[in-house]
């Protein structure tokens, strides 16, 4: 039963990673349609980074979690998600 609940938690966290990537794409599309030419190269770079940051955090969390117990993996996945979300919020704060 513990293993099943760990899998359910991991799938929920992976869905949140997918949502973070979709939010990054939505922010990029939204900012480009409203601000377009007003954005310089740094905001475009940061918006691109906001898309790839959750993917990088997921990969790093999976590499670090290799060989550990199921709940430690879930906690490492959640930590990577928190880091990616905090960085995305900071990026949106810098651009807005």
């Amino acid at each position: 039963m513990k293993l099943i609940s760990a899998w359910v938690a991991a799938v929920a966290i992976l869905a949140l990673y997918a949502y973070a990537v979709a939010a990054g794409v939505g922010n990029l599309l939204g900012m480009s349609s409203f601000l377009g030419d007003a954005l310089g190269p740094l905001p475009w770079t940061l918006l691109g980074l906001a898309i790839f940051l959750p993917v990088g955090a997921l990969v790093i969390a999976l590499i670090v979690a290799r060989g550990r117990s199921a709940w430690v993996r879930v906690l490492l996945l959640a930590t990577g998600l928190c880091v990616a979300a905090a960085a995305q919020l900071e990026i949106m704060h810098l651009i807005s």
Side-chain angles (χ1 to χ4, degrees), residues 1-11 70-71 74:
M1 188 65 177
K2 284 184 178 182
L3 190 59
I4 293 173
S5 59
W7 272 98
V8 169
V11 168
W71 279 107
V74 169

Side-chain angles (χ1 to χ4, degrees), residues 51-63:
I51 295 171
F52 294 109
L53 192 65
V55 176
L58 175 63
V59 169
I60 291 171
L62 288 174
I63 289 171

Side-chain angles (χ1 to χ4, degrees), residues 12-84:
I13 291 172
L14 290 176
L16 291 173
Y17 271 105
Y19 177 76
V21 172
V25 171
N27 288 334
L28 177 69
L29 294 175
M31 290 286 192
S32 67
S33 66
F34 287 116
L35 297 177
D37 296 335
L39 291 177
L42 181 62
W44 284 109
T45 304
L46 290 174
L47 286 169
L49 180 66
I51 295 171
F52 294 109
L53 192 65
V55 176
L58 175 63
V59 169
I60 291 171
L62 288 174
I63 289 171
V64 171
R66 252 182 53 199
R68 302 190 191 269
S69 69
W71 279 107
V72 173
R73 287 182 193 160
V74 169
L75 290 175
L76 286 169
L77 286 173
T79 302
L81 182 64
C82 289
V83 168

